[in-house]
């Protein structure tokens, strides 16, 4: 158990691979500590055949994960948050001080009123406390545990979150300032809501990374999708504060593919995020965005968004604007092709 400032943070911009990261980090830790995972679709046994199976019945998806034994710290936060240490800085932009997020969830770490009993995955105990003010004070001074942000380019992120909010059952998401999001055009949503919220979260990491580059790491989501093992290796090394081999990582990425996670949900009879029950329930994982990633981006819309964000102090050179949008490596090959592809490297 713990209650100090040593909590590493792996944040994502909403709709930027949060659950994929939760699954992969959980699988890596479990396999690294002698566990086993069975691929329900291929029958492959990964890890120690005599090791304990991954306990999906107790898996709640965080936001807190016990990583002791694999990473130097006891726990890791994986979710959405403003960068620790930024909210109490005195040099915040005026627009940041005066604005707010258009929907809850971008800053889940600071929005919670109490972390006295925070649920923990991968642990023998159920809860642990988090002292967010202590984390903020340490991060503001360049101390504390490592921090990383996985961020998507703002157009694709907004498009994905636009669809998510339209389909959400809660009015907190599908109604914006008294108006159904379904009645809005994407352009309206992008420039009246999405870009400002994106900038509020992103600038906190941009500024903290500029001040403390060894503490805060920025990772494009596009690299996570197109080069998952390479990108996740860099993240794991960041949280380990050293470079080391991660032999279980390729298998963890393979096990976290959507088809396999849906098979696990089918066996459990519920979605892994705990929001849907019953054998015929839908997965919490939405269909892949790969089809849309293959479509060209409207250059005028992109340039207009870049102009707006640049005026807010966002360094738009950090965004990945792929000219040719490669489909996800996790979905591009069937299992036989995946193994053949890896064997040929």
């Amino acid at each position: 158990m713990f209650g100090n400032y040593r909590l590493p943070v792996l944040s994502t911009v909403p709709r930027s691979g949060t659950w994929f990261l939760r699954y992969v980090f959980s699988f890596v830790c479990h396999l690294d500590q002698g566990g086993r995972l069975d691929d329900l679709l291929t029958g492959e046994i990964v890890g120690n055949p005599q090791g304990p199976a991954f306990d999906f019945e107790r898996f709640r998806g965080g936001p807190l994960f016990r990583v002791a034994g694999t990473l130097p710290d006891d726990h890791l936060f994986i979710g959405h948050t403003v960068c620790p240490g930024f909210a109490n800085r005195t040099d915040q932009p005026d627009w940041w001080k005066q604005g707010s997020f258009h929907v809850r969830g971008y800053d889940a770490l600071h929005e919670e009123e109490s972390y006295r009993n925070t649920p923990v995955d991968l642990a023998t105990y159920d809860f642990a406390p988090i002292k967010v003010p202590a984390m903020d004070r340490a991060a503001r001074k360049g101390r504390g545990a490592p921090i990383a942000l996985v961020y998507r380019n703002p157009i694709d992120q907004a498009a994905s979150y636009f669809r998510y909010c339209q389909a959400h059952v809660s009015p907190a998401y599908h109604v914006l300032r008294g108006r159904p999001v379904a009645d809005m055009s994407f352009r309206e949503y992008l420039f009246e809501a999405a870009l400002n919220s994106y900038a509020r979260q992103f600038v906190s990491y941009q500024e903290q990374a500029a001040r403390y580059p060894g503490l805060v790491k920025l990772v494009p989501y596009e690299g996570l999708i197109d080069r998952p093992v390479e990108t996740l290796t860099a993240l794991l090394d960041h949280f380990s504060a050293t470079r080391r081999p991660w032999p279980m990582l390729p298998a963890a990425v393979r096990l976290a593919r959507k088809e396999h996670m849906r098979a696990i949900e089918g066996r459990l009879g519920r979605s892994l995020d705990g929001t849907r029950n019953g054998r015929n329930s839908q997965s919490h994982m939405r269909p892949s965005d790969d089809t849309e990633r293959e479509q060209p981006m409207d250059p005028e819309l992109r340039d207009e968004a870049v102009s707006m964000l640049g005026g807010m102090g966002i360094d738009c050179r950090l965004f990945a604007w792929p000219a040719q949008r490669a489909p996800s490596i996790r979905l591009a090959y069937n299992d036989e092709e995946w193994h053949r592809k890896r064997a040929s490297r």
Side-chain angles (χ1 to χ4, degrees):
M1 307 294 278
F2 78 105
N4 58 27
Y5 62 87
R6 286 294 310 188
L7 177 63
V9 168
L10 174 52
S11 179
T12 58
V13 177
R15 309 303 304 165
S16 300
T18 312
W19 281 93
F20 176 61
L21 288 166
R22 288 172 172 176
Y23 295 143
V24 171
F25 270 74
S26 297
F27 292 169
V28 166
C29 289
H30 180 72
L31 295 169
D32 185 64
Q33 296 171 43
R36 66 175 276 175
L37 275 156
D38 296 354
D39 191 316
L40 301 186
L41 299 180
T42 67
E44 176 189 10
I45 297 175
V46 180
N48 179 5
Q50 284 74 48
F54 192 93
D55 190 356
F56 285 102
E57 293 290 348
R58 295 188 73 245
F59 185 82
R60 291 168 291 193
L64 211 60
F65 299 83
R66 180 168 174 80
V67 294
T70 298
L71 299 176
D73 293 284
D74 288 340
H75 302 89
L76 172 68
F77 174 93
I78 305 179
H80 314 312
T81 180
V82 167
C83 188
F86 182 80
N88 53 8
R89 280 176 50 169
T90 60
D91 59 346
Q92 299 165 351
D94 289 339
W95 63 265
W96 202 96
K97 299 175 185 177
Q98 298 165 4
S100 62
F101 292 103
H102 77 282
V103 65
R104 286 179 61 87
Y106 276 84
D107 192 15
L109 183 67
H110 296 91
E111 288 169 356
E112 291 293 330
E113 296 181 356
S114 174
Y115 281 105
R116 189 179 301 273
N117 294 296
T118 309
V120 181
D121 272 318
L122 312 181
T124 56
Y125 46 88
D126 291 327
F127 304 103
I130 298 176
K131 291 188 176 180
V132 176
M135 291 173 54
D136 279 327
R137 287 193 297 269
R140 181 170 58 85
K141 299 175 182 177
R143 300 199 298 266
I147 298 167
L149 173 71
V150 174
Y151 64 97
R152 198 172 187 173
N153 79 65
I155 302 294
D156 285 344
Q157 186 273 335
S160 182
Y161 210 52
F162 181 55
R163 295 187 301 274
Y164 174 83
C165 289
Q166 286 179 319
H168 205 285
V169 298
S170 172
Y173 290 88
H174 72 241
V175 176
L176 178 61
R177 305 183 186 108
R179 184 181 175 192
V181 177
D183 292 346
M184 302 179 68
S185 69
F186 176 62
R187 171 175 284 276
E188 287 179 288
Y189 177 78
L190 179 67
F191 290 104
E192 295 181 14
L195 285 183
N196 185 274
S197 289
Y198 184 103
R200 283 185 62 80
Q201 186 186 22
F202 186 84
V203 76
S204 69
Y205 290 89
Q206 176 184 299
E207 295 301 313
Q208 286 290 90
R211 180 174 288 191
Y212 303 116
L215 180 70
V216 182
K217 185 177 184 65
L218 299 176
V219 178
Y221 165 86
E222 289 78 9
L224 178 69
I225 296 301
D226 297 329
R227 301 177 303 281
V229 174
E230 174 186 338
T231 303
L232 284 159
T233 295
L235 277 170
L236 286 163
D237 287 349
H238 177 64
F239 287 111
S240 296
T242 185
R243 297 182 65 180
R244 52 161 287 192
W246 300 99
M248 291 291 118
L249 179 56
V253 170
R254 189 166 68 252
L255 288 163
R257 68 194 187 280
K258 286 185 178 181
E259 296 92 341
H260 185 239
M261 301 312 299
R262 290 193 181 103
I264 292 170
E265 289 180 321
R267 175 171 289 187
L268 292 173
R270 62 174 175 82
S271 61
L272 281 166
D273 70 343
T275 60
R276 300 166 179 84
N277 297 309
R279 290 292 172 184
N280 296 321
S281 63
Q282 292 183 339
S283 170
H284 78 97
M285 293 172 286
R286 293 176 61 83
S288 171
D289 289 335
D290 284 346
T291 300
E292 282 135 15
R293 292 181 77 236
E294 294 171 352
Q295 302 301 316
M297 182 178 293
D298 181 344
E300 292 185 5
L301 192 71
R302 180 197 61 200
D303 292 347
E304 193 174 344
V306 166
S307 177
M308 177 178 170
L309 292 171
M312 302 170 80
I314 305 298
D315 184 356
C316 296
R317 296 171 300 178
L318 296 171
F319 300 145
W321 304 105
Q324 185 174 3
R325 298 175 172 228
S328 165
I329 192 171
R330 292 179 289 114
L331 302 176
Y333 308 103
N334 62 35
D335 291 290
E336 182 179 350
E337 289 172 328
W338 173 281
H339 290 291
R340 187 165 58 249
K341 180 82 172 178
R342 290 186 64 232
S344 66
R345 291 177 180 173

